[in-house]
Amino acid sequence: MGWLSKIFKGSVNRVSRGHYNGNSHEGYSAWQTKSYEHENDHEDIDHAIALSLSEEDQRKGKAVDEPGIDHRLHEDEQLARALQESLNDEPPHQNVPVKDVRSESTPATFLPPYIFPSTGFRVCAGCKTPIGQGRFLSCMDSVWHPKCFRCFACDRPISEYEFAVHEDNPYHRSCYKELFHPKCDVCKNFIPTNKNGLIEYRAHPFWMQKYCPAHENDGTPRCCSCERMEPKDSKYITLDDGRKLCLECLNTAIMDTNECQPLYIDIQEFYEGLNMKVEQQIPLLLVERQALNEAMEAEKTGHHLSETRGLCLSEEQIVRTILRRPVIGPGNKIVDMITGPYKLVRRCEVTAILILFGLPRLLTGSILAHEMMHAYLRLKGYQTLDPKVEEGICQVLAHMWLESEITSGSSSIIASIASSSSSSSSSSAPSSKKGVQTDFEKKLGEFFKHQIETDPSDVYGDGFRDGIKAVERYGLRKTLDHMKLTGVFPC
């Protein structure tokens, strides 16, 4: 199962400050980005100011008849003084690395480093009233009273030299980080930046659980059912064989052989609804992982995943099954596990079906539906099939059962598939006898379906995709008949 990786990159914006002096409300403003001026730039500006003032003094000693010249001189004098005062008041420049702002931020349009606003009537973008005399801020292509430039999150004025922008709204950097900087769903901390100053995290492809890349190698456990990582504020249950089970999956987990019998009856009825009744009574046993592995080694045939959770046996052997549901003891560990031997006797081609204990009802049922298909193929005289064909059709039945459970037998593909399988049997699969499903259980069922559909293996994954394509095109009955004659799926 591949995991998703996300990287975000963003920007930080700066606030420029200035003054409005005199009745003309003229001022100086500048948008500062990460490109900063040098000291010689200040010297050039100072020289220009001094030169302008000097020329002005010279003009004052001359008789000037041009109309309006006095007004322009007055404006030039105000502009020069405002520029000098704004430079004196400008806060020291800081080179702050951009390392914790996501790419979802929408940077404001950057103005040139030095902008001299024209004379005229200026209105605050916040309160929509004239700026008047005094200090002002120039940012986001507008001017503001200092008290009117407020954080969109906390509604307090932004007095810091840097701020963040998201969807054209300003934020304190701390408020923006709290709202938009991703937090790890495992350690609950802000996901750190990598060496390039970018936010990088992993995400489960189905649950989209976000977590720091370090948790993949620091021993953080995953639930053996839903595959989500254990968060620090929720302790997972430790099963007797070392597997971890989250509390939500534990709610419907099946823990012993007797507890699994009602589900076994549901699966049998499901097969009957597809006109695929299994006449023989096949023992169903819930076992620990060690017992399952030992039984698999004793079995001479079969095709299994690296993590086997179910097995259809054909050989006689003794298997240790779980007789009583264990309890949860100190440290969220399973205790009081009682097991006992069960001797398998060969009365037909199938001696027993083994299922790993401690899995949620829907996962247990999908595994059981898969193994029941193995039993059906052996009991109905299907010749040895290619592993891709046999495992593929077994995954199709597991997927069909999950679909029937999630949709409760209505408006699903099961009815159409079942109706084409036989005209002499019920035309729809039976609905489940379980109680009302929670939202999480429905989501969990969708996850198990997703696992089957996206399995990358050649045997199980490609086999399922070939099988479901054939069943959807020809129906289950015709697909099985073709398999029995040719050993392959119909094209």
Side-chain angles (χ1 to χ4, degrees), residues 183-292:
K183 284 187 176 181
C184 175
D185 292 328
V186 175
C187 65
K188 307 303 180 181
N189 298 321
F190 289 114
I191 295 176
T193 56
N194 59 21
K195 61 181 180 181
N196 297 320
L198 304 177
I199 300 169
E200 180 180 358
Y201 65 81
R202 303 290 185 265
H204 190 281
F206 181 84
W207 301 103
M208 298 309 297
Q209 180 191 39
K210 301 185 297 293
Y211 55 90
C212 306
H215 295 316
E216 291 188 331
N217 303 311
D218 63 2
T220 301
R222 293 182 185 272
C223 174
C224 64
S225 167
C226 65
E227 296 185 351
R228 293 178 299 176
M229 281 193 165
E230 180 184 69
K232 71 174 185 179
D233 58 355
S234 179
K235 192 70 174 177
Y236 283 5
I237 299 297
T238 303
L239 300 178
D240 191 59
D241 50 17
R243 289 175 293 141
K244 292 281 188 173
L245 191 65
C246 73
L247 301 182
E248 290 175 300
C249 288
L250 177 66
N251 285 337
T252 60
I254 298 179
M255 292 294 190
D256 62 40
T257 298
N258 290 332
E259 192 176 351
C260 195
Q261 296 308 309
L263 178 60
Y264 189 21
I265 295 174
D266 284 352
I267 302 295
Q268 290 174 327
E269 292 179 354
F270 172 76
Y271 270 77
E272 289 180 19
L274 297 174
N275 195 31
M276 296 170 58
K277 183 176 181 179
V278 178
E279 303 291 346
Q280 291 81 353
Q281 291 299 316
I282 304 171
L284 169 65
L285 307 175
L286 248 64
V287 297
E288 297 176 271
R289 183 161 56 181
Q290 181 180 355
L292 190 64

Side-chain angles (χ1 to χ4, degrees), residues 385-411:
L385 298 172
D386 181 82
K388 184 175 180 180
V389 175
E390 183 169 346
E391 298 297 343
I393 196 63
C394 290
Q395 287 291 76
V396 168
L397 267 293
H399 188 273
M400 288 170 57
W401 182 81
L402 285 170
E403 180 74 13
S404 72
E405 290 293 292
I406 294 171
T407 60
S408 297
S410 61
S411 302

Side-chain angles (χ1 to χ4, degrees), residues 44-100:
D44 292 342
I45 295 174
D46 292 340
H47 178 71
I49 295 172
L51 182 60
S52 176
L53 294 174
S54 175
E55 291 176 353
E56 177 188 347
D57 292 339
Q58 293 177 6
R59 292 191 188 97
K60 287 182 178 179
K62 298 180 181 180
V64 181
D65 297 330
E66 184 177 353
I69 190 66
D70 291 338
H71 177 69
R72 288 197 300 272
L73 290 176
H74 179 65
E75 287 185 350
D76 291 343
E77 181 180 1
Q78 283 186 316
L79 179 62
R81 289 175 178 172
L83 174 60
Q84 182 64 52
E85 187 174 358
S86 179
L87 287 174
N88 293 337
D89 291 341
E90 186 177 5
H93 300 301
Q94 302 174 5
N95 188 2
V96 180
V98 180
K99 62 181 181 178
D100 57 358

Side-chain angles (χ1 to χ4, degrees), residues 13 15 139-140 144 148-156 158 163-173 175-176:
N13 305 300
V15 177
C139 47
M140 297 177 65
W144 312 70
C148 295
F149 189 60
R150 293 176 173 271
C151 173
F152 190 73
C154 67
D155 198 38
R156 293 196 299 269
I158 299 177
F163 66 98
V165 176
H166 179 73
E167 295 182 351
D168 295 328
N169 295 313
Y171 293 83
H172 291 111
R173 291 188 66 189
C175 292
Y176 179 87

Side-chain angles (χ1 to χ4, degrees), residues 3-155:
W3 308 115
L4 302 180
S5 179
K6 297 288 185 180
I7 298 180
F8 291 109
K9 184 177 181 180
S11 61
V12 173
N13 305 300
R14 299 287 176 90
V15 177
S16 295
R17 295 172 170 80
H19 290 76
Y20 274 136
N21 297 303
N23 296 329
S24 63
H25 304 303
E26 189 164 9
Y28 162 79
S29 66
W31 184 269
Q32 296 294 338
T33 66
K34 292 184 71 175
S35 299
Y36 307 117
E37 71 273 19
H38 301 290
E39 293 181 0
N40 58 348
D41 294 332
H42 286 292
E43 294 176 0
D44 292 342
I45 295 174
D46 292 340
H47 178 71
I49 295 172
L51 182 60
S52 176
L53 294 174
S54 175
E55 291 176 353
E56 177 188 347
D57 292 339
Q58 293 177 6
R59 292 191 188 97
K60 287 182 178 179
K62 298 180 181 180
V64 181
D65 297 330
E66 184 177 353
I69 190 66
D70 291 338
H71 177 69
R72 288 197 300 272
L73 290 176
H74 179 65
E75 287 185 350
D76 291 343
E77 181 180 1
Q78 283 186 316
L79 179 62
R81 289 175 178 172
L83 174 60
Q84 182 64 52
E85 187 174 358
S86 179
L87 287 174
N88 293 337
D89 291 341
E90 186 177 5
H93 300 301
Q94 302 174 5
N95 188 2
V96 180
V98 180
K99 62 181 181 178
D100 57 358
V101 181
R102 290 177 58 184
S103 64
E104 280 84 350
S105 62
T106 306
T109 303
F110 291 144
L111 298 178
Y114 297 101
I115 300 296
F116 296 86
S118 61
T119 61
F121 187 73
R122 304 300 297 274
V123 175
C124 172
C127 66
K128 309 301 181 184
T129 62
I131 293 293
Q133 299 186 19
R135 299 177 63 84
F136 68 93
L137 306 178
S138 177
C139 47
M140 297 177 65
D141 295 333
S142 301
V143 291
W144 312 70
H145 293 115
K147 66 179 181 180
C148 295
F149 189 60
R150 293 176 173 271
C151 173
F152 190 73
C154 67
D155 198 38

